[in-house]
PDB file of all heavy atoms in Angstrom:
ATOM      1  N   PHE A 385      17.089   2.676  30.270  1.00  0.00           N
ATOM      2  CA  PHE A 385      18.530   2.977  30.087  1.00  0.00           C
ATOM      3  C   PHE A 385      19.212   1.809  29.457  1.00  0.00           C
ATOM      4  O   PHE A 385      20.074   1.869  28.682  1.00  0.00           O
ATOM      5  CB  PHE A 385      19.122   3.417  31.475  1.00  0.00           C
ATOM      6  CG  PHE A 385      20.646   3.542  31.412  1.00  0.00           C
ATOM      7  CD1 PHE A 385      21.179   4.521  30.605  1.00  0.00           C
ATOM      8  CD2 PHE A 385      21.415   2.709  32.183  1.00  0.00           C
ATOM      9  CE1 PHE A 385      22.543   4.658  30.625  1.00  0.00           C
ATOM     10  CE2 PHE A 385      22.821   2.915  32.064  1.00  0.00           C
ATOM     11  CZ  PHE A 385      23.386   3.934  31.383  1.00  0.00           C
ATOM     12  N   LEU A 386      18.887   0.644  30.024  1.00  0.00           N
ATOM     13  CA  LEU A 386      19.417  -0.673  29.535  1.00  0.00           C
ATOM     14  C   LEU A 386      18.431  -1.237  28.520  1.00  0.00           C
ATOM     15  O   LEU A 386      18.279  -2.392  28.448  1.00  0.00           O
ATOM     16  CB  LEU A 386      19.641  -1.574  30.651  1.00  0.00           C
ATOM     17  CG  LEU A 386      20.712  -1.172  31.634  1.00  0.00           C
ATOM     18  CD1 LEU A 386      20.849  -2.181  32.734  1.00  0.00           C
ATOM     19  CD2 LEU A 386      22.176  -0.971  31.008  1.00  0.00           C
ATOM     20  N   VAL A 387      17.754  -0.325  27.691  1.00  0.00           N
ATOM     21  CA  VAL A 387      16.692  -0.771  26.852  1.00  0.00           C
ATOM     22  C   VAL A 387      17.190  -1.868  25.865  1.00  0.00           C
ATOM     23  O   VAL A 387      16.550  -2.780  25.450  1.00  0.00           O
ATOM     24  CB  VAL A 387      15.953   0.352  26.145  1.00  0.00           C
ATOM     25  CG1 VAL A 387      16.813   1.037  25.120  1.00  0.00           C
ATOM     26  CG2 VAL A 387      14.637  -0.090  25.599  1.00  0.00           C
ATOM     27  N   SER A 388      18.557  -1.625  25.439  1.00  0.00           N
ATOM     28  CA  SER A 388      19.114  -2.520  24.428  1.00  0.00           C
ATOM     29  C   SER A 388      19.125  -3.917  25.028  1.00  0.00           C
ATOM     30  O   SER A 388      18.767  -4.884  24.585  1.00  0.00           O
ATOM     31  CB  SER A 388      20.466  -2.060  23.972  1.00  0.00           C
ATOM     32  OG  SER A 388      21.360  -1.730  25.064  1.00  0.00           O
ATOM     33  N   ASN A 389      19.614  -3.875  26.389  1.00  0.00           N
ATOM     34  CA  ASN A 389      19.725  -5.199  27.096  1.00  0.00           C
ATOM     35  C   ASN A 389      18.363  -5.781  27.371  1.00  0.00           C
ATOM     36  O   ASN A 389      18.152  -6.960  27.287  1.00  0.00           O
ATOM     37  CB  ASN A 389      20.526  -4.957  28.454  1.00  0.00           C
ATOM     38  CG  ASN A 389      21.958  -4.696  28.238  1.00  0.00           C
ATOM     39  OD1 ASN A 389      22.522  -5.086  27.085  1.00  0.00           O
ATOM     40  ND2 ASN A 389      22.623  -4.095  29.140  1.00  0.00           N
ATOM     41  N   ALA A 390      17.411  -4.777  27.830  1.00  0.00           N
ATOM     42  CA  ALA A 390      16.142  -5.263  28.178  1.00  0.00           C
ATOM     43  C   ALA A 390      15.497  -5.921  26.951  1.00  0.00           C
ATOM     44  O   ALA A 390      14.794  -7.004  27.044  1.00  0.00           O
ATOM     45  CB  ALA A 390      15.304  -4.095  28.665  1.00  0.00           C
ATOM     46  N   VAL A 391      15.592  -5.232  25.751  1.00  0.00           N
ATOM     47  CA  VAL A 391      14.986  -5.779  24.569  1.00  0.00           C
ATOM     48  C   VAL A 391      15.623  -7.063  24.142  1.00  0.00           C
ATOM     49  O   VAL A 391      14.996  -8.123  23.734  1.00  0.00           O
ATOM     50  CB  VAL A 391      15.129  -4.719  23.415  1.00  0.00           C
ATOM     51  CG1 VAL A 391      14.627  -5.268  22.023  1.00  0.00           C
ATOM     52  CG2 VAL A 391      14.125  -3.507  23.759  1.00  0.00           C
ATOM     53  N   PHE A 392      16.918  -7.189  24.251  1.00  0.00           N
ATOM     54  CA  PHE A 392      17.592  -8.416  23.899  1.00  0.00           C
ATOM     55  C   PHE A 392      17.290  -9.516  24.832  1.00  0.00           C
ATOM     56  O   PHE A 392      17.036 -10.649  24.381  1.00  0.00           O
ATOM     57  CB  PHE A 392      19.137  -8.152  23.869  1.00  0.00           C
ATOM     58  CG  PHE A 392      19.646  -7.664  22.610  1.00  0.00           C
ATOM     59  CD1 PHE A 392      19.983  -6.336  22.436  1.00  0.00           C
ATOM     60  CD2 PHE A 392      19.965  -8.420  21.502  1.00  0.00           C
ATOM     61  CE1 PHE A 392      20.487  -5.726  21.279  1.00  0.00           C
ATOM     62  CE2 PHE A 392      20.379  -7.990  20.272  1.00  0.00           C
ATOM     63  CZ  PHE A 392      20.683  -6.573  20.255  1.00  0.00           C
ATOM     64  N   ILE A 393      17.108  -9.206  26.091  1.00  0.00           N
ATOM     65  CA  ILE A 393      16.831 -10.224  27.138  1.00  0.00           C
ATOM     66  C   ILE A 393      15.420 -10.710  26.829  1.00  0.00           C
ATOM     67  O   ILE A 393      15.088 -11.856  26.803  1.00  0.00           O
ATOM     68  CB  ILE A 393      16.912  -9.656  28.551  1.00  0.00           C
ATOM     69  CG1 ILE A 393      18.385  -9.462  28.937  1.00  0.00           C
ATOM     70  CG2 ILE A 393      16.247 -10.643  29.517  1.00  0.00           C
ATOM     71  CD1 ILE A 393      18.613  -8.692  30.213  1.00  0.00           C
ATOM     72  N   ALA A 394      14.485  -9.731  26.752  1.00  0.00           N
ATOM     73  CA  ALA A 394      13.024 -10.153  26.393  1.00  0.00           C
ATOM     74  C   ALA A 394      12.943 -10.862  25.207  1.00  0.00           C
ATOM     75  O   ALA A 394      12.171 -11.832  25.080  1.00  0.00           O
ATOM     76  CB  ALA A 394      12.228  -8.737  26.350  1.00  0.00           C
ATOM     77  N   SER A 395      13.657 -10.419  24.163  1.00  0.00           N
ATOM     78  CA  SER A 395      13.524 -11.227  22.846  1.00  0.00           C
ATOM     79  C   SER A 395      14.103 -12.570  22.948  1.00  0.00           C
ATOM     80  O   SER A 395      13.514 -13.501  22.409  1.00  0.00           O
ATOM     81  CB  SER A 395      14.339 -10.463  21.753  1.00  0.00           C
ATOM     82  OG  SER A 395      13.820  -9.141  21.492  1.00  0.00           O
ATOM     83  N   ALA A 396      15.145 -12.724  23.727  1.00  0.00           N
ATOM     84  CA  ALA A 396      15.746 -14.093  23.948  1.00  0.00           C
ATOM     85  C   ALA A 396      14.797 -14.955  24.778  1.00  0.00           C
ATOM     86  O   ALA A 396      14.616 -16.131  24.441  1.00  0.00           O
ATOM     87  CB  ALA A 396      17.102 -13.928  24.672  1.00  0.00           C
ATOM     88  N   LEU A 397      14.126 -14.270  25.773  1.00  0.00           N
ATOM     89  CA  LEU A 397      13.091 -15.058  26.544  1.00  0.00           C
ATOM     90  C   LEU A 397      11.974 -15.461  25.633  1.00  0.00           C
ATOM     91  O   LEU A 397      11.483 -16.668  25.841  1.00  0.00           O
ATOM     92  CB  LEU A 397      12.594 -14.128  27.701  1.00  0.00           C
ATOM     93  CG  LEU A 397      13.555 -13.887  28.905  1.00  0.00           C
ATOM     94  CD1 LEU A 397      12.931 -12.860  29.780  1.00  0.00           C
ATOM     95  CD2 LEU A 397      13.813 -15.125  29.613  1.00  0.00           C
TER      96      LEU A 397
END
Side-chain angles (χ1 to χ4, degrees):
F385 174 63
L386 296 177
V387 73
S388 54
N389 289 337
V391 169
F392 275 99
I393 291 169
S395 301
L397 287 172

